[in-house]
Amino acid sequence: MSAAPHDDSPIIEVCDLVAGYGETVVLEDITFTVARGERLLICGGSGCGKTTVLRHIIGLARPLAGSVRIEGEDIWAADELTRRHIQRKFGVSFQSGALFGSLTLGENVALPIAEYTTLPATMIASLVRMKLGLVSLDGFQDFMIAELSGGMKKRAALARAIALDPRIVFFDEPSAGLDPVTSVELDELIVQISRSLQMTIVAVSHELASIFTIADRVIMLDGKAKTIIATGRPAELRDTHPDPRVHAFFNRTPLEQVVGQSA
Amino acid sequence: MSNQPPYEIETDGSDGEVRVHIRGRVDVQCAQHFLDDLVRAAAGSAGDIALDLSSVEYFDSGGSVALLGLQQKLTGSGRALRVEAATAEIEGLLRLIDFEALARPLTQGEAVVESVPERIGQATLDMLADARELVAFIGEVILGLRDALLHPAQVRWLDTWSYMHRTGIAALPIVSLISFLMGLITAFQAAVQLRQFGADIYIADLVGLSITRELGPLMTAIIAAGRSGAAFAAEIGTMKVSEEVDALTTMGLDRTRFLVTPKVLALLFMLPCLTLYADVVGILGGLAVASGGFDIPIVVYLRQTAFAMSAWDVFSGLLKSVAFALLIAGVGCLRGFQAQTGAASVGRITTSAIVAGIFLIIVTDAIFTVLFHYWA
């Protein structure tokens, strides 16, 4: 909806990013772009730095070097105020939901709407209802967060992330910790919403099922190589990629075995 | 938001059906404005409304919510709303929204309104239940201490040592400052009165007795309630929220031995030490005023202090501090275990640990004072 159809410039550009904490470099030489409306998935084994990359893109951790541009604006070159302005262009759904426990579900979704618009309370209430309806949680407005199940929390986090119709939504492990049925339902909901609302999705996950459901394109990181080792459509990476690490990941085989065969 | 909306509305058609053409951008910021304009456009006739959204550049859930509002208004007067033409994106967006479900009123949970007597009764019952829980928990703590005496090898001494450092040594600066000032203030207040009778030397008696019997133990206990009681509650509360307490339980381990006994032991040992230290520093505060402001020689002041006080004065203060330590640590740990879920709950129980701690300290102090009065 938000993207002008004729605009072909990438919505996110990550250039020569070096990610790390303090002196420790976790990842380097990270360069990729995300097209408008694309669903990109960042994957890799546990501890490879997926979440770290995400934190650098959404402005939670400052990169050691390199730049992150969102709609052409460098999020890390900007001052605090501009950065907050850029951050309003996207929603983030955190791994454990990060919903505010002191508020009800309805208040959680209403918070960004009430803070960033001048709409009257009745309008906000029906917007909240609409958003909750999208994730099948209409009617649970008055529930406290602690009363929701794991799957409901994930959906609630999605509803809050899309509260202001952002152009981009970031997901950290969208379906981690959910049962397979709930997990696939959530993945399909993400795809459906992103298609209908023309949202760009950047998700971090290591769950193969999610990768194949959500992603148009996958970037695979490797903890030992400390950088991107593969980029492409999920099926391509699974079937034809020559790198044994990629092959092992996408076919769920132990790495030693694959390396042994190829050596 | 500027006064000029980023969209344009045009209406045509006869009374049978009104066609509304919309151009431009409809976003969440102007949703209310957009709804008002639509309602005004619809008010021009009594027929159904057909919307033409095919020349809209941008349309988000703000627009959808306005359409929902318009639909509800029209349905109320028996009219219909239909989207005649729209871009593919808008169609996708509208298809996601279940307008029928949203039109149904929300089933509100029955709000329970309690009358004033009901609320007073409930609060009283809650308070009694809490008092009962506190007594039971203090009993649990004392049983834990008995176990620690019977099986000293099972006590987690490393934890205890670290809590002793945190509750005792780390509290020295603030205890020094407060008790020195308490001694100083008491001496000044006493001097003003005593001077009228030429009885300056009795500053030593007054400071010595009030500090060792009352102010030393009391101020130290209040500081400990604010520092250590709160820390115990927050620590155990956070562990409770993150299911660490449950993990201990399912491992078959005793929460009292692991979490409570080290804290109680540490405070039981450190609070009397701190109190003794506060007594000394408080008397020094009095001494500073007496020798600096009222020309009483240091030796004379100290001899007068020693003459005025008995060992019982100091000992009774220490006895009280032992009881305070048990209550502060007990109520701190109890509140921690009472944490429910979430960050706000940890904040609440921490506040409650301090308030309840100070309340219990004062009440216990009053009981001790009366007891000692009739005993001595």
Side-chain angles (χ1 to χ4, degrees), chain A residues 1-3 5 88 101-102 113 116-120 122-123 126-131 133-134 138-142 146 162-165 167 189 192-194 196-198, chain B residues 1 25 28-33 35 57-62 64-66 68 72 88-90 92-93 96-97 99 101-109 341-344:
Chain A
M1 208 106 321
S2 44
R88 278 173 55 184
S102 54
I113 305 176
Y116 288 123
T117 67
T118 51
L119 295 177
T122 50
M123 201 78 177
S126 53
L127 256 174
V128 167
R129 239 191 120 180
M130 186 177 276
K131 297 290 173 186
L134 283 182
D138 185 25
F140 292 93
Q141 274 87 336
D142 294 333
I162 61 171
L164 286 171
D165 298 282
R167 286 160 234 199
L189 182 68
Q192 190 190 16
I193 288 180
S194 77
S196 307
L197 307 185
Q198 304 280 300
Chain B
M1 197 171 90
R25 298 170 53 85
V28 71
Q29 289 291 354
C30 63
Q32 184 65 42
H33 209 281
L35 174 61
E57 287 161 26
Y58 177 91
F59 192 87
D60 66 13
S61 35
S64 324
V65 85
L68 178 69
Q72 282 168 2
E89 283 99 47
I90 298 177
L93 173 64
L96 267 187
I97 296 163
F99 281 92
L102 293 175
R104 282 194 289 275
L106 267 184
T107 43
Q108 292 279 348
T341 47

Side-chain angles (χ1 to χ4, degrees), chain A residues 138-150:
Chain A
D138 185 25
F140 292 93
Q141 274 87 336
D142 294 333
F143 278 57
M144 295 306 289
I145 299 307
E147 296 172 299
L148 303 179
S149 71

Side-chain angles (χ1 to χ4, degrees), chain A residues 47 59 69 75 77 86 102 106-107 111 141 146 159 164 175 202 219 250:
Chain A
R69 288 170 183 282
I75 187 163
I86 300 173
S102 54
E107 288 166 341
L111 181 76
Q141 274 87 336
L164 286 171
S175 49
V202 177
I219 285 178
F250 280 88

Side-chain angles (χ1 to χ4, degrees), chain A residues 15 26 116 172 184 197 211 229:
Chain A
C15 193
V26 179
Y116 288 123
D172 191 4
V184 75
L197 307 185
I211 295 172
I229 55 168

Side-chain angles (χ1 to χ4, degrees), chain A residues 26 42-52 95 173 204-207 220-224 249:
Chain A
V26 179
I42 303 172
C43 74
S46 297
C48 71
K50 306 183 289 281
T51 302
T52 310
Q95 188 167 355
E173 302 283 1
V204 159
S205 179
H206 56 228
E207 311 233 343
M220 184 169 169
L221 302 174
D222 187 78
K224 282 202 189 107
F249 184 92

